[in-house]
């Protein structure tokens, strides 16, 4: 089936008999005409397909709100307790991870919730919309299903419009749920509405961004990766802008994530920053429709480079092919993680300068008297989150090879399943090792450069080496899922990353049970260089990773390999 069929208006290409009704024996056509014909049917179809995913996303967002609202009074029973914890959010590092810290002098439960946790609601809403739009547009074209749908009575813009309508419905549901849960916590009405609307409009902003990137690349992973890159840059701009000054700086206003934070719920209650979100969502949506008119169905505006007429010797082996397929994700994720590590390392001197005003609770996080070492240990854990996320993303590429049918072509040659799976796992594992080691070295060099302490180079490198086995446990678990339950790879893999971030950043503050802490592999490593390296936990983590990979490869040999597993 050709993938270069010109994507022209369905009403123009249809024979005249299509206008009067379906041909004998053909399925009944959807009502409507023009470029939006069939949009309603596609909306219902997409909602049917996502009947579990989207309610789960919305439920997760609302449960996060109700949990934080219930936990804060338990952690800080009095206003004095809450005021003592507020420097965790108002310090530069706290603002980097939480937002501009409005309403921290003195804080209330609702301002503490808005200052410390709403940013993560906005991040989750952005991710939800990136995945939603990519799943219903570019993935459908890449798989060929969109071409089958276009063979029926559907307009040129029907699929993109339907995906955006589903995004609107989902974001409205998220806004209602988040607002209701905030009100259930006895938070102020206007601020709660601002948080809910901020979640919805941030989501729609990145739905528009994802709609644009879906027009640029003919591959779903590239389209999602470009949208994810925009989200990463937005987070970095907001983080740097919010670190510069309490309440944010000019740089904060260049980030779509910063606009929702600048509404300052429960403090200033400003609605007008959300006009920026509406404007960007409208502009990117219009751009996406304009770009769609300029490309063929199945193609992207950024044309894939033609390959060489003859492959190199390395591509003649399964190991070389796996390395070539994983090279792009390794370079893209590795560059982003390393750059973020360098930026964080350059703030080491800022941390030391603010040590005198730092509260006891924050000093305990970074190791009290050894503040620079504690900060490097914290950065190594942060790199561990990102590397674990890279691993989940990269292993999904292995499943994509199977879903697309390309794996069957490789396995039709004298190549065993174990070698095929191991080649990808090894390429991902070596990529993760390289990312952590390079990032650790660069973090140490950056910290040493701003402080003039050369020993921090070795400390930063050693901290990342210490964290590496915990990150590789993610690779073992993902391989295990690919071997035995490939459908669970994405939900379980990303949940594991979420658990690692939650345990590392919020578990101590929320006083969660100990068994929750043990779910994060990063919880089991020592805080190097504040503490000496503890080899036994590292050996256990390495053993778990190796055994899980081995069991996953066994499962890969035993189950059926087929497209759409």
């Amino acid at each position: 089936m050709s993938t270069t069929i010109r994507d022209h208006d369905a009403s123009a290409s249809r024979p005249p008999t299509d206008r009067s009704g379906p041909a004998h024996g053909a399925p009944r056509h959807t009502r409507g005409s023009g470029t939006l014909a069939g949009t309603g049917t596609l909306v219902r179809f997409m909602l049917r397909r996502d009947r579990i995913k989207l309610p789960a996303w919305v439920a997760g967002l609302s449960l996060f709100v109700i949990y934080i609202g219930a936990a804060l009074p338990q952690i800080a029973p009095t206003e004095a307790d809450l005021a003592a914890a507020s420097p965790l959010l108002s310090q530069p590092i706290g603002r980097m991870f939480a937002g501009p810290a409005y309403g921290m002098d003195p804080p209330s439960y609702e301002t503490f919730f808005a200052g410390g946790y709403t940013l993560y609601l906005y991040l989750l809403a952005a991710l939800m919309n990136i995945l939603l739009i990519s799943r219903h547009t570019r993935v459908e074209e890449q798989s060929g299903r969109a071409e089958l749908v276009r063979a029926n009575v559907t307009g040129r813009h029907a699929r993109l419009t339907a995906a955006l309508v589903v995004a609107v419905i989902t974001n409205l549901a998220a806004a209602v749920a988040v607002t209701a849960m905030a009100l259930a916590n006895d938070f102020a009405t206007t601020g709660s509405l601002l948080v809910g609307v901020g979640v919805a409009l941030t989501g729609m902003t990145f739905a528009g961004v994802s709609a644009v990137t879906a027009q640029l690349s003919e591959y779903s992973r590239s389209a999602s990766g470009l949208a994810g890159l925009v989200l990463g840059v937005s987070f970095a701009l907001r983080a740097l802008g919010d670190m510069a000054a309490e309440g944010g700086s000019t740089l904060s206003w260049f980030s779509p994530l910063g606009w929702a934070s600048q509404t300052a719920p429960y403090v200033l209650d400003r609605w007008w920053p959300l006009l920026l979100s509406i404007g960007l969502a409208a502009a990117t949506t219009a751009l996406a429709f304009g770009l769609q008119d300029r490309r063929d169905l199945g193609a992207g505006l950024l044309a894939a480079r033609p390959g060489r007429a003859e492959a190199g010797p390395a591509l003649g082996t399964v190991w070389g092919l796996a390395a070539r397929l994983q090279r792009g994700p390794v370079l893209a994720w590795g560059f982003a993680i390393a750059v973020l590590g360098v930026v964080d390392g350059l703030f080491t001197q800022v941390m030391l300068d603010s040590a005198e005003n730092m509260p006891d609770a924050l000093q305990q996080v970074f190791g009290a008297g050894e503040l620079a070492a504690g900060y490097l240990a914290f950065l190594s854990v942060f790199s561990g989150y990102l590397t674990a996320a890279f691993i989940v993303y990269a292993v999904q590429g292995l499943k994509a090879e199977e879903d697309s049918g390309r794996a069957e072509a490789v396995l039709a040659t004298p190549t065993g399943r174990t070698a095929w799976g191991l080649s990808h796992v090894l390429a991902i594992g070596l990529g993760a090792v390289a990312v952590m080691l390079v990032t650790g070295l660069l973090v140490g060099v950056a910290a040493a450069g701003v402080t003039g302490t050369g020993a921090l180079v070795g400390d930063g490198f050693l901290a990342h080496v210490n964290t590496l086995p915990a990150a590789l446990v993610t690779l073992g678990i993902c391989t295990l899922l690919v071997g035995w339950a490939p459908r669970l790879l994405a939900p379980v893999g990303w949940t594991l990353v979420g658990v690692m971030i939650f345990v590392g950043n919020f578990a101590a503050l929320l006083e969660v049970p100990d068994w929750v802490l043990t779910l994060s592999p990063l919880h089991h490593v020592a805080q190097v260089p504040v503490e000496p390296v503890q080899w036994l936990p590292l050996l256990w983590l390495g053993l778990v990773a190796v055994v899980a990979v081995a069991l996953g490869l066994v499962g890969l040999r035993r189950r059926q390999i087929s497209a759409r597993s």
Side-chain angles (χ1 to χ4, degrees):
M1 183 178 294
S2 171
T3 57
T4 57
I5 293 177
R6 188 68 182 175
D7 187 20
H8 51 277
D9 193 334
S11 61
S13 63
R14 237 178 12 247
T17 52
D18 283 354
R19 297 181 182 278
S20 59
H24 178 69
R28 185 176 181 79
H29 289 158
T30 306
R31 292 181 179 179
S33 61
T35 59
L36 300 181
T39 300
T41 301
L42 287 175
V43 168
R44 292 193 294 274
F45 176 65
M46 292 174 184
L47 290 174
R48 175 72 174 79
R49 286 185 62 192
D50 285 351
R51 63 190 182 282
I52 295 177
K53 287 189 178 74
L54 297 183
W57 273 101
V58 173
L61 291 171
S62 56
L63 286 175
F64 183 78
V65 175
I66 199 69
Y67 180 76
I68 296 297
L72 286 178
Q74 304 299 322
I75 301 166
T78 66
E79 293 182 356
D81 295 330
L82 202 61
S86 65
L88 288 168
L89 305 181
S90 59
Q91 292 284 338
I93 296 303
R95 296 199 300 271
M96 178 175 73
F97 289 107
Y102 283 108
M104 291 295 111
D105 190 25
S108 63
Y109 289 124
E110 55 192 9
T111 59
F112 200 91
F113 160 72
Y117 302 98
T118 52
L119 174 64
Y120 294 90
L121 291 173
Y122 306 144
L123 274 171
L124 290 172
L127 284 172
M128 175 180 71
N129 282 273
I130 289 173
L131 297 175
L132 187 157
I133 296 297
S134 177
R135 180 168 63 248
H136 289 299
T137 56
R138 180 49 65 181
V139 170
E140 292 299 290
E141 291 190 38
Q142 184 178 336
S143 66
R145 289 190 291 266
E147 192 170 355
L148 294 175
V149 173
R150 287 288 286 118
N152 211 310
V153 184
T154 54
R156 178 193 312 160
H157 296 313
R159 177 165 296 281
L160 179 58
T161 305
L164 290 169
V165 169
V166 171
V168 170
I169 294 172
T170 306
N171 286 305
L172 282 175
V176 171
V178 168
T179 302
M181 292 302 103
L183 292 174
N185 289 328
D186 291 330
F187 294 166
T189 303
T190 304
S192 300
L193 280 171
L194 265 176
V195 173
V197 175
V199 168
L201 290 180
T202 302
M204 285 309 303
T205 300
F206 282 92
V209 170
S210 186
V212 171
T213 60
Q215 315 306 317
L216 299 179
S217 174
E218 61 183 282
Y219 299 105
S220 60
R221 294 181 69 192
S222 300
S224 299
L226 287 173
L229 178 62
V230 175
L231 179 60
V233 171
S234 299
F235 185 89
L237 289 174
R238 183 217 54 78
L240 294 175
D242 289 348
M243 286 182 75
E246 193 167 340
S249 63
T250 303
L251 197 58
S252 304
W253 291 90
F254 286 91
S255 168
L257 288 175
W259 300 335
S261 299
Q262 289 298 332
T263 59
Y266 310 111
V267 183
L268 302 179
D269 285 340
R270 298 186 295 199
W271 288 92
W272 60 266
L274 295 179
L275 293 175
L276 297 171
S277 301
I278 295 173
L280 182 58
T284 50
T285 299
L287 178 61
F289 280 110
L291 294 177
Q292 193 176 52
D293 284 335
R294 296 177 177 274
R295 68 179 180 87
D296 293 337
L297 181 65
L301 290 172
L302 300 178
R305 291 183 305 171
R308 291 184 298 182
E310 296 183 0
L315 287 179
T317 67
V318 67
W319 308 98
L321 178 61
R324 177 65 182 83
L325 292 174
Q326 297 295 343
R327 186 181 66 181
V330 169
L331 292 177
W333 279 81
F335 178 77
I337 295 172
V339 168
L340 191 57
V342 170
V343 172
D344 291 340
L346 292 176
F347 274 90
T348 305
Q349 187 60 49
V350 176
M351 285 287 299
L352 298 177
D353 293 341
S354 61
E356 294 182 358
N357 300 324
M358 191 173 292
D360 293 340
L362 195 57
Q363 289 193 17
Q364 289 176 5
V365 171
F366 294 125
E370 300 178 80
L371 196 60
Y375 181 58
L376 292 180
F378 177 78
L379 293 183
S380 71
V381 174
F382 188 69
S383 298
Y385 303 150
L386 299 177
T387 303
F390 151 70
I391 289 172
V392 175
Y393 176 84
V395 177
Q396 283 184 288
L398 175 61
K399 185 173 181 298
E401 289 295 298
E402 181 181 349
D403 289 344
S404 66
R406 290 190 292 269
E408 291 183 81
V410 174
L411 294 175
T413 65
T415 301
R417 295 184 182 187
T418 301
W420 172 70
L422 183 61
S423 64
H424 282 269
V425 172
L426 197 58
I428 296 168
L430 291 175
V433 170
V435 168
M436 286 294 287
L437 296 185
V438 171
T439 302
L441 181 61
L442 293 178
V443 167
V445 170
V450 296
T451 61
T453 306
L456 294 182
V457 177
D459 289 344
F461 184 75
L462 182 62
H464 282 71
V465 171
N466 178 69
T467 307
L468 182 56
L472 290 178
V473 169
T474 309
L475 179 60
I477 293 174
C478 288
T479 307
L480 190 66
L481 291 167
V482 166
W484 295 95
R487 289 180 181 276
L488 297 180
L489 171 59
V492 175
W494 290 114
T495 299
L496 177 61
V497 175
V499 167
M500 293 165 74
I501 295 173
F502 175 80
V503 169
N505 292 280
F506 306 118
L509 186 61
L510 298 178
E511 297 180 346
V512 299
D514 290 341
W515 67 267
V516 177
L517 302 179
T518 61
L519 296 178
S520 171
L522 291 169
H523 176 71
H524 302 282
V525 300
Q527 194 179 6
V528 176
V530 177
E531 302 171 346
V533 176
Q534 296 180 13
W535 293 105
L536 186 59
L538 298 183
L539 291 174
W540 273 111
L541 290 170
L543 182 62
V544 168
V546 171
V547 171
V549 166
L551 292 176
L553 294 176
V554 170
L556 196 61
R557 289 188 59 187
R558 295 171 64 89
R559 72 172 174 84
Q560 182 178 1
I561 299 290
S562 63
R564 315 288 181 263
S565 61

